[in-house]
Structures are given as C-alpha cells and as structure tokens.
Amino acid sequence: MSDDRTVLLIGSGPIQIGQAAEFDYSGAQACRALQEEGARVVLVNSNPATIMTDPEMADEVYIEPITVEAIAEVIAKERPDGVIAGLGGQTGLNVTAELAEEGVLEEYDVEILGTPLDTIYATEDRDLFRKRMEDLGQPVPKSTTISLDEGESVQDLTAEGLADRVADAVEAVGGLPVIMRTTYTLGGSGSGVVEEMDVLVDRVRKGLRLSRNDEVLITESIAGWVELEYEVMRDAGDSTVIICNMENIDPMGIHTGESTVVTPSQVIPDQGHQEMRDAALEVIRELGIEGGCNIQFAWHDDGTPGGEYRVVEVNPRVSRSSALASKATGYPIARVTAKVAIGKRLHEITNEITGETTAAFEPAIDYVVTKVPRWPKDKFDNFTLGTAMKSTGEAMAIGRTFEESLLKALRSSEYEPDVEWAALDGDELAEEYVARPSPDRPYALFEAFDRGFTVEEVVDLSGIAEWYVERFARVAAAADGAKHGEFTDAAVEGFT
C-alpha cells in the first residue's frame, strides 16, 4: 500500500456489555499506527465519548450510526482505498460484511484490508467453520445448525415445527445437554448451556431473531472442560507468532468475559500446550487470517500425556481478550494488526513496548497475570454466570505467583459480596455459592476452606481444576495464620 492511500476504520459503536472500552483502546492504537505509515485515516464511530473520536486521532472523524446506509455515504464522500474490518469488534465486522454484500465496496472500489471476507464468513458461519476444521483434521465439538428457509421468518414457525427441528438437532449431537450459540452476535448474546428441551426451543426461537443470518448452532456440551484462548498474529507473508495463551479458572460453559482468566496457563501439560499451539498456527494459516486473531479451545484430561482438546471457535479480529493480552505481554496487538492490514510484515514492525525487538518476536512471560471481571451490582442481582456476558469491566494484576496476582486483582476489582457468610449453613454455602458460578464464588471458596471443606470437596462442587483450588486453599490458610499473628505465609502468598 502506498503512503498516500486513505483507510476507513470502523469503530464499535455504543458502549455495551462485551464491547466497551477495550475496542476504543484498540481503535486508538490503530489510528496512530496507520498515521505512522503515512496513511490518511477516516474514522466512523457512533459514540463520541471515546478517545478514538477525538479530532486529532484521525484525519477525518465521522460521528455517525454504524449502519450500511451511513457508512456508504461516508465512503461516497471520502473514497477510501481500503477498509479494516477487524478493529471494531463484532459490530465493525458485521457492517463490513453487509457493505460487501450490498455491493457498496465494489461500487466504490474499496478493498477489505487484512483478513479477507471469505475468512470472516468461514469463522462466523458455524456450519462452514466446522467443515473447514474437519477438513483440516482438527477436532471440533459435534454440532449442527438450525436455520430458517429462504423467505421464512421466525413468526412463520409453528411451535410444533420448531420443536421438531430442535429435537432433530439434539439427536444429531448426541442428546441433551447441549450448547446453543447464535451466529453473528456479541458477548454470547442468546447463547447458553441448555439441559431441558422446552427451554432449548425458546432459546432457539430467540436466537433466530438475533442472528444476522437466521441461524443458530447446536453443539455437544463440553461443559466442565478447561477453556483456553490463544492469541495469534499472522502477516501476508505467512510469518506467524503465538502472543500468549489464556486459561479460564471457571470450567467450559461460562463466557470467558465472566471468568477469572490466567496467563500463561497453569493446568495444561506441556504436551497438550504444544499440540494446541501447533493447532492454532495451522488454523490461522488455513483460514488466511492477516492480523491478530483469537482461537478458543476446550481441553480435558483423558489420561493421555497431552490430554484431549477441541477447537471451539475463531474470532478473526481484535477481540475483547486482545486488549488483555496486549497489556499482559507488552505486545501491541491492535497496532500490529493495523500495520499488517496495510501490507507490513512482522519483522518490519518495531515493538514500541520493548523498543528493541520486532513484532516477529514472541513475548516471554516470566510472571503470572490474572484478570477478574468487574460486576455492575446496580444492573444485575444474584445472577448465575453463563455463556452470555454480564460483566462490564475487568481488573488485571501481575504477580510472581498465581496467588499474588489473584489477590491483587480481587482487591483492584473493588467488589464486595453482598453476603452474610455467617448466616449461611454449610449446605447453602456449598450449593448456592461454591457449586453455582456467580461473582461471589471466589470469596465463597475462601469461606469454604475457613469452614473446613477439603480441596476434593470444593473441586467436586465447583468443577474448577484441582491446581487452582489448592491455591485458594493456601490463601485461606495464610489468611487464617495472619489472624493469629503468623504473617510469613501471608506475605509469601501475596497479602499486603
């Protein structure tokens, strides 16, 4: 790309759950990165309360709705040479696809920079993604789609007809429980683990309304497996790096935005990590993604040295997790993605954080990073965590050990459980606070150990990996020792 070309950057629109300040962070990085390369930047975003919409961030800033009609007018006026789809979250990705489908991009000769449109379709269309992974030989959960026929609307579906479609889909993936996912949506909207047929029918009807392509995916349940994400970067020359992997403390079935997340992973054996690392590189190359992407895996210990994994999904864009990975590793994912989109190779991009290495160098992490969600108590009350996001922020902490980073993150989240622990009997503590995933569960684990619960009991109740439960037990024991004047263990665990 020549230095004088104009690049259209589409923002993520209004701040909402699952798509908030992290995309402002990514968009602001991208604006600076593109201007460093001499490109003229035209930014469209409907939210004026962002850094990226400051006048100095782009050459032209439009505060307009993120719709095909509004952006088509901007394109007609500014005549950009290219558009970057992957920096405005799911909103930016969807509207870019719609602009292509409506013929706007072709009419004004606008190139989709970075990840091509076919790749966006291959990752967002659940059935197409499954087929691509199967062709590649990568294991994926059994799945099938429920979709509307051409010209059919949700209102046309009779209760009996929809129930029959849902029953066929459940049988195809091996029976209940299943995971229902809605395509082309944000933050897990309309998705979840479902154990009852009547609930699933209602969820499918809702999902068909929400989905941009009138489709929902029914997948075998892998609830209880360990959930991981690999942040990967690739350029047009096929140079590829793994930026980091991130591991959820809560088992599969809870949105990663709702879970406490740790990087690097702690419970996956090295052979399993290497297998998923190789799979991540193979997947990003097969799909032809250019820039940053997020690949989600599920893993469990099946008794083999590396365990068993499934490829769950790929986000072909800078994601909410990318901001976390950037801060955790010092690798500026959005900045590098923007430069890769206009043709730069990884070895040509200097890492601003280190000042010495290029973007072709994988980060080395000799510390532990823990992220805990921040919860809007004024919006949700006593809720159970699931596959749809409710958290509205997160706190990240760095420590020498997991325990130290966990305690820092919990303190930084400024969350206090609205629970009188002393008023709970043992059964209520176990069933409502240890077994049920909620914002109060980390604190309930400490309370359980104070009451004499064993590690094995907490593992059975929560489904959390034993390694993590043991660390919660250590923290609880250190806190108890500090109450009795023994501060050494508390200092070692990270209390201040």
Side-chain angles (χ1 to χ4, degrees), residues 400 474 477-479 481-495:
R400 296 163 298 176
R474 288 184 189 178
K483 292 177 183 176
H484 297 89
E486 300 173 4
F487 299 108
T488 301
D489 287 344
V492 169
E493 296 299 335
F495 283 95

Side-chain angles (χ1 to χ4, degrees), residues 123-403:
T123 54
E124 295 293 339
D125 184 311
R126 305 287 184 174
D127 193 44
L128 184 57
F129 174 72
R130 174 177 56 83
K131 291 175 181 175
R132 289 284 290 268
M133 292 301 99
E134 289 174 348
D135 291 344
L136 196 58
Q138 289 296 337
V140 293
K142 295 177 184 176
S143 62
T144 187
T145 55
I146 299 174
S147 57
L148 297 175
D149 296 331
E150 187 175 350
E152 185 180 32
S153 69
V154 177
Q155 289 74 23
D156 296 333
L157 288 173
T158 64
E160 183 178 356
L162 180 59
D164 288 342
R165 293 191 195 186
V166 172
D168 290 342
V170 169
E171 183 179 355
V173 300
L176 294 169
V178 298
I179 296 177
M180 195 209 85
R181 297 178 184 272
T182 307
T183 60
Y184 289 97
T185 58
L186 175 70
S189 178
S191 303
V193 179
V194 187
E195 299 181 358
E196 299 177 9
M197 186 64 75
D198 57 341
V199 175
L200 180 60
V201 172
D202 290 341
R203 290 275 189 92
V204 168
R205 187 179 290 277
K206 177 183 177 184
L208 289 172
R209 289 195 188 101
L210 290 172
S211 173
R212 189 175 73 82
N213 65 341
D214 303 322
E215 180 179 283
V216 298
L217 183 76
I218 305 298
T219 307
E220 71 167 313
S221 176
I222 45 178
W225 291 33
V226 176
E227 183 172 358
L228 302 101
E229 298 178 87
Y230 281 71
E231 290 288 336
V232 194
M233 181 70 66
R234 177 179 176 270
D235 65 21
D238 202 32
S239 293
T240 311
V241 296
I242 301 288
I243 297 162
C244 69
N245 76 342
M246 296 178 283
E247 179 176 87
N248 291 9
I249 287 182
D250 293 300
M252 196 79 190
I254 297 173
H255 195 286
T256 187
E258 307 289 79
S259 183
T260 300
V261 177
V262 181
T263 184
S265 63
Q266 304 295 311
V267 304
I268 306 300
D270 183 63
Q271 183 169 328
H273 165 61
Q274 296 301 332
E275 289 173 357
M276 285 184 281
R277 173 191 165 85
D278 291 344
L281 296 175
E282 187 175 34
V283 166
I284 193 174
R285 285 177 166 139
E286 163 65 20
L287 294 174
I289 294 171
E290 294 178 19
C293 85
N294 170 276
I295 303 177
Q296 296 179 20
F297 292 90
W299 178 92
H300 81 125
D301 185 357
D302 65 350
T304 61
E308 182 180 14
Y309 73 86
R310 299 279 191 276
V311 180
V312 177
E313 67 178 6
V314 175
N315 287 316
R317 56 177 170 82
V318 173
S319 70
R320 175 192 44 74
S321 299
S322 301
L324 172 65
S326 293
K327 295 168 186 174
T329 64
Y331 190 104
I333 295 173
R335 177 177 181 271
V336 174
T337 294
K339 289 179 179 278
V340 165
I342 58 174
K344 300 284 284 188
R345 301 297 192 258
L346 294 180
H347 69 273
E348 297 173 333
I349 304 170
T350 302
N351 186 329
E352 280 187 328
I353 306 299
T354 64
E356 296 180 358
T357 59
T358 70
F361 282 70
E362 294 189 353
I365 303 176
D366 59 355
Y367 47 84
V368 179
V369 175
T370 301
K371 178 273 291 185
V372 298
R374 292 185 59 127
W375 305 103
K377 284 187 176 182
D378 58 328
K379 294 182 175 63
F380 302 103
D381 182 40
N382 193 33
F383 57 87
T384 299
L385 308 185
T387 56
M389 278 187 69
K390 298 180 182 70
S391 63
T392 53
E394 57 194 32
M396 186 196 90
I398 298 173
R400 296 163 298 176
T401 64
F402 164 69
E403 295 93 312

Side-chain angles (χ1 to χ4, degrees), residues 453-476:
F453 281 56
T454 65
V455 168
E456 291 74 19
E457 288 172 333
V458 172
V459 169
D460 289 342
L461 286 166
S462 66
I464 297 173
E466 183 176 348
W467 189 94
Y468 286 115
V469 175
E470 287 175 348
R471 270 65 191 172
F472 275 87
R474 288 184 189 178
V475 170

